[in-house]
Amino acid sequence: MYWEPEQECLDREELEQLQLERLQATLNRVYAHVPFYRKKFDGLGLAPEDVTSLADLARLPFTGKDDLRDNYPYGLFAVPMREVVRVHASSGTTGSPTVVGYTRNDIKIWSNLVARILVMGGVTKDDVVQIAFGYGLFTGAFGLHYGAERLGASVIPASSGNTARQIKIMTDFKTTALVGTPSYALLIGDTLREMGIPISALSLKYGLFGAEPWSDALRQEIEGKLGIIATDNYGLSEIIGPGISGECLERSGLHINEDHFLIEVVDPQTLTPVPEGETGELVITSLTKEAFPMIRYRTRDLTRILPGGCPCGRTGRRMSRVMGRTDDMLIIRGVNVFPSQIEAVLVEIEGTEPHYQIIVDRKGALDEATVLVEAAEHIFFDQMRRQREVVETIKKRLAQELGLSVEVKLVEKKTLARFEGKARRVVDNRKL
C-alpha cells in the first residue's frame, strides 16, 4: 500500500535525474538568498552552476548545528518572513535553540511525506490516530498531526503526559494507531498492566514511534504490552521534522523519501563517505524545502545504508534504525558505548525490567560505568543468591556485547525516572 505510488516507486535513473534538478534549484536559491551559504560557496570558489552531477555533492560545504545557532533566529531563512507561515524550534537545551521555518508549500510537502510514512506503517483513512508527542515548538506532534489529517485519518491531539488519561482516551475513543516515543509507549504499556486493563480492551493495531534510538528487543516488548505492530520512523527539525524515512510493514529498514532528501553516510572523523552497509554519520541535503533549505547537514545520527531492495516495492534506499548519536556516544576506557547496545542486552534477560540508567564516574585516572537496572519484584525480593546470579548474567552479557566490563546494580521497580518525552538514559559525572 502506497500514498504516492509514482514517487515512491520511481525508477532509479529517473529518481537521480529528479534529485539533480532539485539540488541545482536549491543551490541557486540558497546562493541568491542566504548570505551564509553564498559566503561559504565563494570561499570554496564554487558557484551553483558548477554542480552538474550528484557526484559534485561532495564538493559542497557541510552545515552543522553551530552554524544554525550562529545565525539564530532567522539568518538561514531563504524567504522573507511574510512567506513563512510556521516557525518551529529545537528544545535548545544547550545555547540558543535552532529555529526553522516553513512556507505554505513546505507545509503541504511535509504533510504528504508524513502521510507516506503513516501508510508505510499500516495506517489508513479509517484509522483513529492518537498523537502522544508534546505539542509546541517541537516538530514531532504537528508533523504527524498534519500528515494523519492529510491521509484522512481521525486525529486525537492528546499531547504527551497524563498517562492514565491517555489510556482512557484510547479505550473510550477507540484509538487504532498510537504515535509517540518508544519509551513513552513502554510506559503506557506498564501503566495498562498496573491499572489491570487487558489488551483486549484496546482497539490499537499500530504504533509509529520515533525521536529516540530503540532496539528490536524493545520493539517486541512494546508490541507484547500493547498488542500492536510497531514501526520506526525518522526525522529531525533542522531538515523538516518527521517524514524523512520510515519503516514499512516488512520492517527491514527505513525507506528514505529520496525524491525530497539527498542522503550521505560519512565517517564522523574524516567526513569521507563510508561503503554501503557500514555505519557512519547521516548527512542530509534538503531538495524541496523553500523557507529553510539545508545543504549537507550533519545530523550526528549514526546509521547505515542497507543493501538490496524491499519486497514492498518501494525503490528508495533504506537506512537502518538509528543506533545512537555521535554526541550521545560514551567513550569509556577507550571503548565506544551506545545506550542502545545496553538496552538490547537487558531486554533479553529474564527478571529485569526494560528501564535502566547508565552512571559514568571517574575514579582517579580510570572511568567506571555502573548500569542501574530495575528488577522484577520476584527477583528483587528473592534470595540474595538469585539476585547475584542475575547481576552476573547481565555483567557477562554486557562484557560480551561492549568489550568492556561494567558494574551492575539491581534497583527496585519504579526506582528510575519515567519519561513522557525523550528518555534520558545517561548520567555522566566525569568532568571532561
Side-chain angles (χ1 to χ4, degrees), residues 27-47:
L27 295 178
N28 278 301
R29 181 183 299 117
V30 299
Y31 190 82
H33 300 294
V34 185
F36 167 80
Y37 280 120
R38 184 162 59 248
K39 184 178 178 182
K40 281 260 191 181
F41 288 11
D42 288 347
L44 294 170
L46 191 66

Side-chain angles (χ1 to χ4, degrees), residues 2-265:
Y2 311 107
W3 174 243
E4 296 177 304
E6 286 188 15
Q7 290 90 334
E8 294 175 63
C9 301
L10 268 177
D11 173 78
R12 190 77 212 170
E13 190 174 326
E14 285 183 73
L15 174 60
E16 290 183 356
Q17 180 58 35
L18 179 64
Q19 286 179 321
L20 178 60
E21 291 170 6
R22 288 178 167 176
L23 174 63
Q24 290 169 329
T26 296
L27 295 178
N28 278 301
R29 181 183 299 117
V30 299
Y31 190 82
H33 300 294
V34 185
F36 167 80
Y37 280 120
R38 184 162 59 248
K39 184 178 178 182
K40 281 260 191 181
F41 288 11
D42 288 347
L44 294 170
L46 191 66
E49 55 267 25
D50 295 333
V51 175
T52 58
S53 73
L54 292 179
D56 290 330
L57 185 66
R59 301 172 61 190
L60 299 173
F62 288 98
T63 309
K65 181 156 277 192
D66 286 344
D67 295 322
L68 275 62
R69 290 179 175 138
D70 290 345
N71 287 277
Y72 172 86
Y74 302 136
L76 293 180
F77 281 29
V79 297
M81 284 303 293
R82 65 177 177 272
E83 293 180 28
V84 174
V85 300
R86 178 91 66 79
V87 172
H88 279 287
S90 69
S91 56
T93 50
T94 57
S96 298
T98 56
V99 178
V100 298
Y102 300 78
T103 65
R104 194 171 301 281
N105 192 49
D106 287 336
I107 295 288
K108 181 180 176 182
I109 288 172
W110 189 17
S111 301
N112 263 325
L113 292 180
V114 176
R116 282 189 198 178
I117 302 301
L118 287 162
V119 171
M120 286 181 199
V123 179
T124 72
K125 64 180 181 180
D126 297 320
D127 281 296
V128 178
V129 181
Q130 186 163 329
I131 311 288
F133 278 127
Y135 280 75
L137 290 174
F138 169 62
T139 54
F142 281 102
L144 270 302
H145 183 124
Y146 272 65
E149 283 188 351
R150 179 72 184 91
L151 175 57
S154 304
V155 182
I156 305 172
S159 195
S160 61
N162 199 336
T163 307
R165 178 171 167 269
Q166 295 273 1
I167 291 170
K168 180 171 173 54
I169 290 171
M170 272 181 217
T171 54
D172 293 353
F173 295 8
K174 308 296 185 202
T175 301
T176 58
L178 175 66
V179 169
T181 62
S183 55
Y184 191 49
L186 183 65
L187 176 57
I188 291 173
D190 289 342
T191 307
L192 267 174
R193 189 167 53 184
E194 290 164 8
M195 294 172 70
I197 299 173
I199 292 175
S200 58
L202 304 179
S203 302
L204 280 180
K205 297 183 294 183
Y206 302 109
L208 290 95
F209 305 120
E212 63 189 26
W214 53 308
S215 64
D216 268 321
L218 184 57
R219 186 211 299 266
Q220 291 166 17
E221 187 91 17
I222 292 168
E223 288 181 333
K225 289 182 175 180
L226 294 178
I228 57 173
I229 297 172
T231 55
D232 190 21
N233 63 83
Y234 174 78
L236 70 164
S237 298
E238 295 88 343
I239 299 299
I240 198 168
I244 293 172
S245 67
E247 286 182 316
C248 68
L249 294 179
E250 296 287 338
R251 296 186 293 178
S252 58
L254 284 73
H255 293 273
I256 303 162
N257 286 320
E258 284 196 278
D259 51 333
H260 293 269
F261 309 105
L262 267 178
I263 298 294
E264 303 169 85
V265 179

Side-chain angles (χ1 to χ4, degrees), residues 261-332:
F261 309 105
L262 267 178
I263 298 294
E264 303 169 85
V265 179
V266 304
D267 182 303
Q269 304 302 320
T270 66
L271 301 183
T272 56
V274 301
E276 182 177 85
E278 288 192 14
T279 299
E281 181 182 340
L282 184 65
V283 174
I284 305 178
T285 298
S286 60
L287 297 176
T288 52
K289 196 83 185 291
E290 292 179 343
F292 194 78
M294 280 283 100
I295 307 301
R296 301 191 83 194
Y297 182 71
R298 294 188 59 186
T299 68
R300 302 290 182 180
D301 290 321
L302 293 164
T303 186
R304 59 193 178 93
I305 298 298
L306 301 176
C310 179
C312 77
R314 291 177 177 84
T315 53
R317 291 184 299 169
R318 292 167 300 124
M319 56 185 266
S320 71
R321 297 163 75 182
V322 170
M323 66 172 290
R325 292 177 53 80
T326 58
D327 48 7
D328 280 349
M329 181 180 75
L330 291 166
I331 302 177
I332 302 171

Side-chain angles (χ1 to χ4, degrees), residues 335-336 338 340-342 344-345 395-404:
V335 177
N336 296 346
F338 293 95
S340 57
Q341 292 174 289
I342 293 173
V345 168
K395 289 175 71 171
K396 184 177 179 182
R397 292 285 303 280
L398 287 176
Q400 290 170 343
E401 172 68 23
L402 306 175
L404 176 79

